[in-house]
Amino acid sequence: SIWIGVGINVLIAGYLGRKEQDEANDTVTTGLILSFGIGLILNLLALLLMKSYFGAFTQNPEVDALCLKYMGVCAFMQIPNMVHIAIQKMIQATGNMLAPMWFQIAGVVFNFIFDPLLIFGIGPFPAMGIRGAAVATVGGYCLSMLLAFWMLFFTKQQIAVRIHGFHFRWTMVRRIFF
C-alpha cells in the first residue's frame, strides 16, 4: 500500500507542479482503481492461503484456531488499508500533511477504544475474544478509509476523481509502480 501510495504521490505532485490538472486527476482515479483492485486480490489471497500459511508455523490446534479466527476477519482490512493509504498519499501530494494524519489517527483511536470493548464484552458489546480484536482493527481501517473518502469527495481539494474523459492507461499504472 505504501509502494502504490508513494508512486501516486510522486505522479500527482509532478503533474500539479507542471499545472497538468487532468493528468493529476487521472492519477487519482487510476490510483483508486488500482488500490481497490489490489486490496481485493490481497483479500482473496489471504482468505485462500491463511490456513496453509499458519499450518506451516504451528502444529498446535489451539494456536492454529486462534490465528484463523483473527485472520478470518483481518483479511477484510486489505481494501480499506490500500484505499485509505492511497488517498492519504494523494492529499499529501497537494502539500496537505495534517488532514491525512488525522484520519489515520482516527482509525488508531477507534481500534484502541474498541479493542477492549470487543475482546472482553464491556457494556453493550459481546465478548468476542481474539475475533473482537480483529473486528476493532478492521473497523479502524474502515473508519480511516471513510474519512479519507469524505475528505477527497466532499471537501475542497486540489485534486479530484475524474470520471468524464477518464481512460484507464496501463502506462500510468507502470509509472505508479516504477
Side-chain angles (χ1 to χ4, degrees):
S1 60
I2 298 296
W3 181 11
I4 292 168
V6 168
I8 292 166
N9 178 290
V10 168
L11 282 181
I12 291 171
Y15 289 134
L16 291 176
R18 291 188 301 274
K19 309 252 187 274
E20 296 174 10
Q21 189 66 49
D22 286 344
E23 291 294 314
N25 291 343
D26 280 353
T27 305
V28 169
T29 308
T30 301
L32 285 175
I33 293 168
L34 188 62
S35 62
F36 182 85
I38 291 176
L40 181 63
I41 290 166
L42 291 173
N43 190 158
L44 294 172
L45 284 173
L47 290 171
L48 290 172
L49 299 174
M50 67 182 175
K51 187 163 180 60
S52 59
Y53 176 81
F54 291 121
F57 291 99
T58 184
Q59 299 303 317
N60 183 326
E62 186 179 342
V63 171
D64 192 51
L66 289 171
C67 290
L68 293 175
K69 277 184 186 179
Y70 186 79
M71 276 309 293
V73 174
C74 275
F76 294 98
M77 76 180 179
Q78 303 311 317
I79 293 171
N81 176 49
M82 295 295 295
V83 171
H84 104 267
I85 288 181
I87 296 172
Q88 175 186 24
K89 298 301 180 190
M90 291 171 191
I91 294 170
Q92 287 175 345
T94 68
N96 184 346
M97 304 307 244
L98 289 176
M101 176 188 67
W102 285 111
F103 57 74
Q104 182 119 8
I105 288 171
V108 170
V109 169
F110 180 95
N111 190 5
F112 181 77
I113 291 170
F114 279 90
D115 256 338
L117 298 176
L118 295 174
I119 291 170
F120 301 113
I122 299 170
F125 301 100
M128 298 173 68
I130 196 165
R131 187 168 280 144
V135 168
T137 299
V138 173
Y141 279 106
C142 287
L143 176 62
S144 292
M145 182 184 72
L146 291 173
L147 292 172
F149 268 124
W150 177 81
M151 174 171 260
L152 183 62
F153 285 98
F154 299 110
T155 65
K156 185 170 175 60
Q157 298 296 321
Q158 293 178 22
I159 52 170
V161 174
R162 184 171 180 210
I163 304 295
H164 302 293
F166 171 77
H167 300 290
F168 189 85
R169 297 179 306 210
W170 286 105
T171 55
M172 185 170 282
V173 172
R174 191 179 83 244
R175 290 191 71 204
I176 287 171
F177 278 105
F178 306 106

